[in-house]
Amino acid sequence: MTGRYFSRHLFWKECRQMQGFWLGVLGLIVVLQIVVTLVMVTTGEEKHLAEALLGVAVMLPVLYALGSGAALFAMEHETGTYDFLRALPTRPGASLLNKLAFAAVSTPLLVVAGGLSAAIPAWLLGCGEIRLLEAILAWACAAAYLFVWAVFFSLLVRQVVKAAVLAIFVALFCLLLPIGLLRDMSGLTENSAIAVIGPTIFLTVAVLDVWLGLRWFREAGTWKFVPQRSISDEELAIEGAFALERMPSKRGPFLHLLWHQWRQSRGMVWTFSIVLFPVLFVLAGPVFEGWNWARWFLASWAPLALFAGILIIPLAGSGVFVGDQKRLQFRFLTERGVSPRQVWWSRQSVWLGAMAVWGPIVGVFFLFFLLQLVLPRGTDWARHVPFVAFPLAAVLCVPVAFCFGQFCSMMFRSGVLSGTVAVVGSLFLAQWSLYMAILHVPLVFSVLPIPIVLLIATRLRTRGWMLERNTVGAWLPVVLVVLIPAVLIPWGVCSYRAYQYPPVDPGFDVAAFTAPASPAAQETARMYREAAGLFDEGGDGEKALALLMAASRRPECDRLDGYFPSPDDHVEAAHRMGEAVLEQGQRLQEKGDLDGAAKCYLTALRMTQQWCSHASTPLSYQKTVYDAQQSLIAWSVQPGQSKETILKVLRSVEEITQQPVPMDNVIRSQYVELHKVLTGEMADMYQWMSPGSADAGAAMAIYRLPWERERAERLLAWIVSRELKKYRDLQAELANGWPVRLEPAIPQRTSYWMNLTPDVWAQQIDLRWVGGVAVAFEVERQALRLQMALAAWQLEHGSLPKELEELKGEYLAEVPPDPYSGEPFVYFPKGLSQLVTRYVGPRGLEEWVGQKAVESERVGLVTSSPFQFRTVLEGGEPFFWSTGPGISVGRPVNSSPSSKYQVRQGYQHPASPEDIWTAGYAFPIPQPD
């Protein structure tokens, strides 16, 4: 043992001393890999599972290298074996060599063990490829660099956690600062600067480690750069314990316990306070705005400084009882009969006071980081969420992380293992706290009980901890206090999520809506299918037209999409059938057969009325509806036309359009489709949700978590019932002639936070356009009636009426009001002196919801009209005008006819009457030839 540099006895001592830490880190690796596997399998991300598991297997061994380096020499002081080693006839180099040999063997073994545990689920699930060589190289570089710094501080200080904290932040600071200077002065790239600076620092610190390691057996006070100490920490602790016996007052022992805790914890308190200096350095960033190297350094150091301010929270908690754990010093307090209650309160008070000082510093830095470094980069929050998400989680989890740390400090006697478990556990608790906030689960029962339970657990365990009682009776209260809330809190969260929405009826009879069509309706759809086949195959056109006319007069029609090979074929077939009927009407009109042309145009209207009444997407037939209406308007002013013929056709139009287009079928169909998706397979949700519209992983959680499935079904029913009620209210407003209330057709933007929740699928249900389209259909129908009635009036009187009310009676039973305003259409029989932009033409659903909004070239005003093609009404051209969804009616402020109209909130305010008329919908009055 004394004649060789490598001794199996010294090596075995290191194994026995570090086995708990090694096994603890391996356990954390396995637990993290299990959690990652469950999460990624649940969210359908199995293809990235192997890479994620390897990352866990590589990341934690880097932290192990840091912790083992910090424990190699500092732990000898904590466990009291330093004097024993100095007394042995052992060469200094032998001790150094065996310690380094143990670290060189145990760290790769941990990587191998973690890699094997990662390979099992990756192999079973058949996950994707991994870049093993790059991962091992990154691990080796990071582990070696942090290890030499940890050994350096382990030789200088006597506490493992203190050495690890100093090592990681000094190591990063000494790496980033020279890199910034070198990049600025020499123009090297970041990777080149790291290649130059990294090995230099590593070799320098490694040489210092060897030099200090060979001198480690000397008395610490003999080093010139370490102040001479007249009494050790252990002697101070014993002296303080004896002082308890000399204090007769009841208040005195607690104050002395408080002072004793400060004496044995002040080193860690000051160390954590020093770690906060980088935070203050980043706050001074604007001072270095003109220095390139400083800007790069601050940009690189800011996240590290942020983590410094965050990680001290669980580390501070892990220091609450660590001083008493060293050499089992709590035994001395037990032998003197010190109250466990006073011990518990005195140990908590010192660190809570330190937290009260550090908290505002971390909070100020977080606000500065958010306001100065994130917001000025732009308004796209999604790009900066990674910078904000973890700090926000940490702010929410400050009490939880501290209380979990103090719980670990009592459960683990090893300070480095306690700190490691506290940091890793706080990450999970931070994510839990953040996720509860994102899900809007009340923090009162989802987060607040966690720190309370952890404090109660340590308080209950204090007596058994001091008396070293490890019986079932001693542990049972602690286990129950921790285990029962650990079950009740997730159960409460799941119940809250599942039952947050009441069990409501969707608002319609689902069975009746999804029931098979009657034989008569199926026969009508078959006739349309046969006619479409004749047009496709170039068959008998007259037979196809006869089939269409006969089918359009039947009372019932099934949905066409069930009679064509693909879901979109029925729309194309409907367009072809509509075009064929209208083209036939045009041919008859050109030949002078106005009656035959009118029959064709009315047939097209009847066809579209049937299709829209039994379709989930009436907008698919909007083009045919619009073309038929425009054909009837043009037909009304053809040469040879008569008032009687126009009024006869107008009565038929009123009969056809008597029933509104049932846009509520869109809402019902959406419910039926989504209910199948929610009760179906994952592929259904992937197919339903558009690519990139939401986080697929969060959406997939619906199919793995039963409470989320229950919530999804309740939420869907609640949304559909709400939208159906809105639609019924809208129809009541139209029937009574009241002004309709429409929501702005502005597309919803799914936030980053919503993408993380299982409710993200609900953001894809945007049914606000349904009411707007229903009103748009209605206003076009009313406009068609007015245009045909005005054409008949002009044939009889030779001019336009002075007021639209003159049409009441022979021409129209009632003059229809403007559905948007509830008032009569604004009538301009002589037109206006200026040009008026008019929006006409069909428009798709995507454009309706605002993804391709139409802008007026004249005023830059975005409209929500379903009509996108722009034409210009010349000055003096007669027309009548609808306010549209963008104009509200108020009180007139002057004699101008436009003074009573105002642009609704959310739109650009007009500057002139011309802008008002442009912002609404202008319908030209047809003029007979």
Side-chain angles (χ1 to χ4, degrees):
M1 179 173 179
T2 60
R4 293 173 296 177
Y5 276 96
F6 181 78
S7 170
R8 70 176 185 275
H9 300 287
L10 291 176
F11 188 84
W12 179 247
K13 183 194 75 69
E14 297 298 329
C15 293
R16 292 292 302 272
Q17 187 170 264
M18 297 294 295
Q19 64 179 355
F21 182 49
W22 192 91
L23 292 174
V25 174
L26 178 60
L28 285 176
I29 292 175
V30 174
V31 170
L32 281 175
Q33 289 175 341
I34 293 174
V35 172
V36 169
T37 301
L38 292 176
V39 170
M40 300 194 75
V41 170
T42 300
T43 57
E45 299 291 334
E46 293 93 339
K47 60 182 178 179
H48 302 300
L49 178 59
E51 185 177 354
L53 293 179
L54 182 63
V56 174
V58 170
M59 177 185 66
L60 284 185
V62 172
L63 297 179
Y64 172 80
L66 173 69
S68 63
L72 285 184
F73 297 94
M75 187 171 285
E76 306 293 352
H77 293 284
E78 286 193 357
T79 58
T81 56
Y82 173 71
D83 293 329
F84 174 75
L85 289 177
R86 289 181 67 241
L88 292 176
T90 305
R91 297 180 182 181
S95 178
L96 175 64
L97 178 62
N98 283 274
K99 289 178 178 293
L100 296 179
F102 168 78
V105 172
S106 62
T107 308
L109 281 179
L110 188 62
V111 177
V112 173
L116 291 176
S117 65
I120 295 174
W123 176 72
L124 292 176
L125 297 174
C127 303
E129 300 179 355
I130 56 176
R131 294 176 289 185
L132 183 60
L133 182 60
E134 295 182 11
I136 293 178
L137 182 61
W139 162 78
C141 294
Y145 182 74
L146 291 178
F147 177 76
V148 296
W149 277 104
V151 172
F152 175 76
F153 282 102
S154 180
L155 288 161
L156 296 181
V157 300
R158 298 187 177 189
Q159 290 179 297
V160 179
V161 176
K162 186 189 302 183
V165 171
L166 290 174
I168 188 170
F169 290 105
V170 173
L172 295 175
F173 188 89
C174 292
L175 181 65
L176 294 176
L177 185 61
I179 289 175
L181 291 170
L182 189 61
R183 289 176 69 256
D184 191 33
M185 294 184 296
S186 62
L188 294 176
T189 62
E190 182 177 337
N191 292 334
S192 299
I194 292 175
V196 174
I197 296 297
T200 303
I201 297 176
F202 173 79
L203 293 175
T204 302
V205 179
V207 171
L208 288 175
D209 290 344
V210 174
W211 180 71
L212 291 174
L214 295 176
R215 297 168 53 88
W216 184 58
F217 281 151
R218 297 189 181 185
E219 288 288 345
T222 62
W223 300 343
K224 296 181 179 179
F225 50 88
V226 178
Q228 184 73 25
R229 301 188 64 174
S230 59
I231 188 170
S232 66
D233 289 338
E234 292 77 10
E235 293 170 330
L236 287 173
I238 295 174
E239 179 185 348
F242 274 115
L244 294 175
E245 300 176 349
R246 300 192 298 266
M247 292 187 177
S249 67
K250 295 182 179 181
R251 186 179 179 185
F254 177 76
L255 293 178
H256 193 80
L257 284 172
L258 201 64
W259 176 250
H260 175 249
Q261 174 70 348
W262 165 249
R263 292 296 299 270
Q264 67 182 4
S265 303
R266 61 183 179 181
M268 290 300 300
V269 172
W270 288 119
T271 300
F272 291 152
S273 301
I274 292 173
V275 169
L276 289 178
F277 274 105
V279 176
L280 301 177
F281 184 70
V282 173
L283 290 175
V287 177
F288 306 100
E289 188 66 27
W291 299 359
N292 293 331
W293 70 267
R295 288 203 305 271
W296 181 90
F297 172 73
L298 291 176
S300 303
W301 185 253
L304 300 175
L306 185 62
F307 277 93
I310 291 171
L311 294 183
I312 64 171
I313 298 169
L315 289 176
S318 67
V320 171
F321 298 101
V322 71
D324 296 311
Q325 297 277 29
K326 290 189 298 185
R327 301 188 184 182
L328 304 179
Q329 293 182 23
F330 59 84
R331 289 179 176 176
F332 198 87
L333 301 177
T334 305
E335 293 171 356
R336 269 63 182 177
V338 180
S339 169
R341 177 177 57 83
Q342 290 186 341
V343 172
W344 188 86
W345 277 108
S346 63
R347 272 48 186 160
Q348 301 283 354
S349 301
V350 171
W351 287 99
L352 288 175
M355 289 292 299
V357 176
W358 296 333
I361 298 177
V362 177
V364 168
F365 170 74
F366 174 73
L367 292 176
F368 173 83
F369 183 81
L370 183 64
L371 298 176
Q372 299 296 327
L373 301 180
V374 176
L375 293 180
R377 298 183 182 183
T379 57
D380 188 4
W381 277 86
R383 292 175 52 198
H384 312 304
V385 162
F387 295 96
V388 182
F390 186 81
L392 181 58
V395 170
L396 292 173
C397 196
V398 166
V400 180
F402 175 81
C403 293
F404 182 72
Q406 62 90 34
F407 179 78
C408 294
S409 70
M410 180 174 284
M411 297 299 111
F412 301 98
R413 291 183 176 178
S414 172
V416 64
L417 183 59
S418 171
T420 303
V421 176
V423 169
V424 175
S426 68
L427 297 179
F428 287 101
L429 293 174
Q431 293 302 320
W432 171 266
S433 301
L434 178 62
Y435 211 54
M436 292 300 100
I438 294 173
L439 294 177
H440 300 290
V441 178
L443 301 182
V444 173
F445 68 83
S446 62
V447 176
L448 183 60
I450 297 177
I452 298 175
V453 166
L454 293 172
L455 289 174
I456 294 174
T458 55
R459 178 64 187 88
L460 292 176
R461 178 56 186 161
T462 303
R463 180 177 295 277
W465 167 66
M466 294 180 64
L467 297 176
E468 298 183 84
R469 289 179 180 172
N470 294 310
T471 62
V472 174
W475 276 102
L476 185 60
V478 180
V479 172
L480 291 179
V481 164
V482 174
L483 187 60
I484 292 176
V487 174
L488 291 180
I489 291 176
W491 178 83
V493 171
C494 296
S495 300
Y496 178 83
R497 291 283 298 169
Y499 304 117
Q500 183 179 6
Y501 291 94
V504 299
D505 186 81
F508 68 102
D509 188 347
V510 179
F513 184 75
T514 58
S518 65
Q522 295 178 11
E523 176 63 19
T524 305
R526 187 201 61 77
M527 295 172 65
Y528 282 123
R529 175 72 178 88
E530 182 180 351
L534 290 173
F535 287 124
D536 292 339
E537 298 169 1
D540 189 350
E542 293 184 1
K543 180 180 178 181
L545 289 172
L547 277 173
L548 293 178
M549 289 185 178
S552 67
R553 292 182 176 276
R554 295 175 64 87
E556 294 181 279
C557 179
D558 194 8
R559 293 175 53 172
L560 296 185
D561 52 2
Y563 296 85
F564 291 86
S566 67
D568 296 330
D569 285 348
H570 75 283
V571 177
E572 298 179 3
H575 289 168
R576 288 194 298 271
M577 289 186 287
E579 290 174 356
V581 173
L582 294 175
E583 288 175 359
Q584 175 67 11
Q586 292 292 335
R587 287 192 292 268
L588 294 176
Q589 183 173 302
E590 291 173 357
K591 294 178 181 180
D593 186 0
L594 297 182
D595 291 339
K599 291 181 181 180
C600 292
Y601 301 149
L602 292 175
T603 297
L605 277 184
R606 290 191 184 96
M607 290 164 51
T608 55
Q609 181 68 19
Q610 280 185 339
W611 298 340
C612 291
S613 298
H614 301 278
S616 60
T617 54
L619 279 176
S620 302
Y621 312 113
Q622 189 184 29
K623 182 178 185 303
T624 303
V625 174
Y626 174 75
D627 291 341
Q629 291 173 344
Q630 295 303 308
S631 297
L632 281 170
I633 294 171
W635 171 86
S636 300
V637 293
Q638 289 297 310
Q641 190 62 269
S642 65
K643 180 190 77 170
E644 290 75 14
T645 304
I646 296 176
L647 293 181
K648 180 181 177 181
V649 173
L650 178 57
R651 301 288 90 82
S652 298
V653 170
E654 292 175 339
E655 180 182 357
I656 295 171
T657 60
Q658 183 177 6
Q659 294 296 326
V661 176
M663 292 298 297
D664 51 342
N665 281 346
V666 177
I667 305 174
R668 296 186 177 96
S669 299
Q670 189 84 309
Y671 174 83
V672 173
E673 176 187 358
L674 277 180
H675 193 268
K676 291 180 180 178
V677 170
L678 295 175
T679 56
E681 301 296 333
M682 291 188 196
D684 298 334
M685 179 63 83
Y686 274 121
Q687 183 178 3
W688 177 75
M689 298 184 75
S690 58
S693 62
D695 184 85
M700 292 306 101
I702 298 171
Y703 302 99
R704 301 294 189 185
L705 307 175
W707 60 87
E708 291 296 339
R709 185 190 293 262
E710 175 69 20
R711 175 188 175 84
E713 295 182 10
R714 288 173 175 245
L715 178 57
L716 176 61
W718 180 80
I719 292 174
V720 169
S721 63
R722 180 193 62 182
E723 295 300 327
L724 285 175
K725 182 180 183 303
K726 289 181 181 179
Y727 185 82
R728 288 192 290 268
D729 294 342
L730 177 68
Q731 290 299 325
E733 293 170 353
L734 291 174
N736 294 315
W738 299 336
V740 296
R741 295 167 293 178
L742 294 176
E743 297 182 60
I746 302 174
Q748 292 183 348
R749 295 193 62 183
T750 304
S751 68
Y752 177 87
W753 304 112
M754 182 57 68
N755 285 342
L756 300 177
T757 70
D759 291 340
V760 65
W761 64 271
Q763 298 299 307
Q764 306 301 305
I765 308 176
D766 189 1
L767 297 173
R768 291 176 297 173
W769 59 272
V770 171
V773 172
V775 179
F777 270 115
E778 187 65 22
V779 75
E780 285 296 307
R781 287 180 168 189
Q782 306 294 9
L784 173 63
R785 294 174 57 199
L786 280 175
Q787 287 169 313
M788 294 183 68
L790 288 170
W793 177 280
Q794 292 180 88
L795 288 176
E796 182 180 2
H797 298 88
S799 62
L800 290 171
K802 295 182 180 180
E803 301 288 343
L804 292 178
E805 283 296 323
E806 297 181 27
L807 297 173
K808 185 176 180 180
E810 182 182 4
Y811 297 90
L812 294 171
E814 294 289 340
V815 178
D818 177 9
Y820 288 106
S821 64
E823 297 185 352
F825 286 91
V826 182
Y827 179 50
F828 296 96
K830 297 181 180 180
L832 292 174
S833 59
Q834 70 270 13
L835 301 177
V836 177
T837 301
R838 172 176 174 259
Y839 295 91
V840 296
R843 188 176 160 182
L845 174 60
E846 292 82 11
E847 294 177 324
W848 167 257
V849 298
Q851 295 177 6
K852 298 179 181 179
V854 177
E855 296 186 1
S856 169
E857 295 178 353
R858 187 177 302 276
V859 296
L861 183 68
V862 178
T863 83
S864 299
S865 170
F867 310 104
Q868 68 173 0
F869 304 120
R870 287 191 294 272
T871 62
V872 176
L873 298 176
E874 301 292 340
E877 185 175 353
F879 68 95
F880 56 90
W881 181 82
S882 167
T883 61
I887 300 294
S888 62
V889 182
R891 294 182 179 180
V893 296
N894 51 46
S895 59
S896 172
S898 64
S899 63
K900 63 184 294 187
Y901 302 110
Q902 298 177 352
V903 175
R904 295 184 187 272
Q905 186 178 4
Y907 294 84
Q908 177 180 339
H909 288 272
S912 65
E914 181 183 1
D915 296 334
I916 287 287
W917 310 130
T918 300
Y921 301 153
F923 297 93
I925 298 175
Q927 300 293 310
D929 294 336

mmCIF file of all heavy atoms in Angstrom, residues 159 344 367 400 491 597 599-600 671 759 840:
data_model
loop_
_atom_site.group_PDB
_atom_site.id
_atom_site.type_symbol
_atom_site.label_atom_id
_atom_site.label_comp_id
_atom_site.label_asym_id
_atom_site.label_seq_id
_atom_site.Cartn_x
_atom_site.Cartn_y
_atom_site.Cartn_z
ATOM 1 N N GLN A 159 -16.011 21.759 0.955
ATOM 2 C CA GLN A 159 -17.391 21.339 0.759
ATOM 3 C C GLN A 159 -17.579 20.968 -0.706
ATOM 4 O O GLN A 159 -17.199 21.708 -1.612
ATOM 5 C CB GLN A 159 -18.370 22.438 1.162
ATOM 6 C CG GLN A 159 -18.416 22.688 2.668
ATOM 7 C CD GLN A 159 -19.381 23.808 3.009
ATOM 8 O OE1 GLN A 159 -19.191 24.947 2.598
ATOM 9 N NE2 GLN A 159 -20.404 23.479 3.784
ATOM 10 N N TRP A 344 -35.378 22.072 13.519
ATOM 11 C CA TRP A 344 -35.993 22.239 12.193
ATOM 12 C C TRP A 344 -36.173 23.713 11.853
ATOM 13 O O TRP A 344 -35.825 24.146 10.758
ATOM 14 C CB TRP A 344 -37.340 21.516 12.184
ATOM 15 C CG TRP A 344 -37.984 21.458 10.828
ATOM 16 C CD1 TRP A 344 -37.767 20.532 9.860
ATOM 17 C CD2 TRP A 344 -38.949 22.381 10.312
ATOM 18 N NE1 TRP A 344 -38.530 20.806 8.756
ATOM 19 C CE2 TRP A 344 -39.276 21.939 9.012
ATOM 20 C CE3 TRP A 344 -39.564 23.523 10.803
ATOM 21 C CZ2 TRP A 344 -40.202 22.607 8.206
ATOM 22 C CZ3 TRP A 344 -40.477 24.196 10.015
ATOM 23 C CH2 TRP A 344 -40.786 23.738 8.728
ATOM 24 N N LEU A 367 -36.862 40.204 -15.200
ATOM 25 C CA LEU A 367 -37.586 41.278 -15.874
ATOM 26 C C LEU A 367 -36.698 41.994 -16.881
ATOM 27 O O LEU A 367 -37.129 42.316 -17.994
ATOM 28 C CB LEU A 367 -38.123 42.268 -14.836
ATOM 29 C CG LEU A 367 -39.235 41.746 -13.919
ATOM 30 C CD1 LEU A 367 -39.601 42.801 -12.894
ATOM 31 C CD2 LEU A 367 -40.449 41.345 -14.730
ATOM 32 N N VAL A 400 -41.417 25.669 -4.516
ATOM 33 C CA VAL A 400 -41.425 24.215 -4.679
ATOM 34 C C VAL A 400 -40.002 23.686 -4.767
ATOM 35 O O VAL A 400 -39.659 22.671 -4.143
ATOM 36 C CB VAL A 400 -42.232 23.827 -5.941
ATOM 37 C CG1 VAL A 400 -42.257 22.320 -6.113
ATOM 38 C CG2 VAL A 400 -43.643 24.373 -5.862
ATOM 39 N N TRP A 491 -54.620 13.215 -9.343
ATOM 40 C CA TRP A 491 -56.027 12.842 -9.496
ATOM 41 C C TRP A 491 -56.908 14.080 -9.565
ATOM 42 O O TRP A 491 -57.844 14.151 -10.374
ATOM 43 C CB TRP A 491 -56.447 11.954 -8.331
ATOM 44 C CG TRP A 491 -57.900 11.567 -8.376
ATOM 45 C CD1 TRP A 491 -58.471 10.558 -9.088
ATOM 46 C CD2 TRP A 491 -58.967 12.213 -7.675
ATOM 47 N NE1 TRP A 491 -59.827 10.517 -8.882
ATOM 48 C CE2 TRP A 491 -60.167 11.525 -8.019
ATOM 49 C CE3 TRP A 491 -59.035 13.292 -6.803
ATOM 50 C CZ2 TRP A 491 -61.397 11.903 -7.513
ATOM 51 C CZ3 TRP A 491 -60.266 13.663 -6.295
ATOM 52 C CH2 TRP A 491 -61.440 12.973 -6.646
ATOM 53 N N ALA A 597 -84.737 30.260 -71.211
ATOM 54 C CA ALA A 597 -83.545 30.663 -70.459
ATOM 55 C C ALA A 597 -83.870 30.815 -68.979
ATOM 56 O O ALA A 597 -83.081 30.388 -68.103
ATOM 57 C CB ALA A 597 -82.990 31.973 -71.018
ATOM 58 N N LYS A 599 -86.139 29.219 -67.297
ATOM 59 C CA LYS A 599 -86.256 27.891 -66.694
ATOM 60 C C LYS A 599 -84.890 27.329 -66.337
ATOM 61 O O LYS A 599 -84.725 26.694 -65.286
ATOM 62 C CB LYS A 599 -86.982 26.957 -67.664
ATOM 63 C CG LYS A 599 -88.456 27.285 -67.857
ATOM 64 C CD LYS A 599 -89.113 26.301 -68.820
ATOM 65 C CE LYS A 599 -90.596 26.638 -69.030
ATOM 66 N NZ LYS A 599 -91.242 25.683 -69.978
ATOM 67 N N CYS A 600 -83.904 27.536 -67.216
ATOM 68 C CA CYS A 600 -82.552 27.034 -66.925
ATOM 69 C C CYS A 600 -81.962 27.737 -65.712
ATOM 70 O O CYS A 600 -81.350 27.095 -64.834
ATOM 71 C CB CYS A 600 -81.655 27.226 -68.153
ATOM 72 S SG CYS A 600 -82.099 26.180 -69.560
ATOM 73 N N TYR A 671 -69.291 18.796 -35.853
ATOM 74 C CA TYR A 671 -69.379 17.997 -34.626
ATOM 75 C C TYR A 671 -69.276 16.513 -34.940
ATOM 76 O O TYR A 671 -68.533 15.768 -34.281
ATOM 77 C CB TYR A 671 -70.699 18.288 -33.906
ATOM 78 C CG TYR A 671 -70.923 17.393 -32.706
ATOM 79 C CD1 TYR A 671 -70.348 17.691 -31.479
ATOM 80 C CD2 TYR A 671 -71.687 16.219 -32.813
ATOM 81 C CE1 TYR A 671 -70.531 16.859 -30.385
ATOM 82 C CE2 TYR A 671 -71.870 15.385 -31.727
ATOM 83 C CZ TYR A 671 -71.296 15.713 -30.515
ATOM 84 O OH TYR A 671 -71.465 14.882 -29.440
ATOM 85 N N ASP A 759 -55.591 20.727 -25.631
ATOM 86 C CA ASP A 759 -56.729 21.482 -26.161
ATOM 87 C C ASP A 759 -56.424 22.152 -27.495
ATOM 88 O O ASP A 759 -57.274 22.873 -28.021
ATOM 89 C CB ASP A 759 -57.156 22.566 -25.159
ATOM 90 C CG ASP A 759 -57.776 21.975 -23.913
ATOM 91 O OD1 ASP A 759 -58.223 20.814 -23.972
ATOM 92 O OD2 ASP A 759 -57.810 22.664 -22.884
ATOM 93 N N VAL A 840 -67.506 41.980 -55.863
ATOM 94 C CA VAL A 840 -68.421 40.957 -56.339
ATOM 95 C C VAL A 840 -67.624 39.682 -56.560
ATOM 96 O O VAL A 840 -66.395 39.687 -56.594
ATOM 97 C CB VAL A 840 -69.117 41.369 -57.655
ATOM 98 C CG1 VAL A 840 -69.989 42.566 -57.453
ATOM 99 C CG2 VAL A 840 -68.094 41.617 -58.748
#
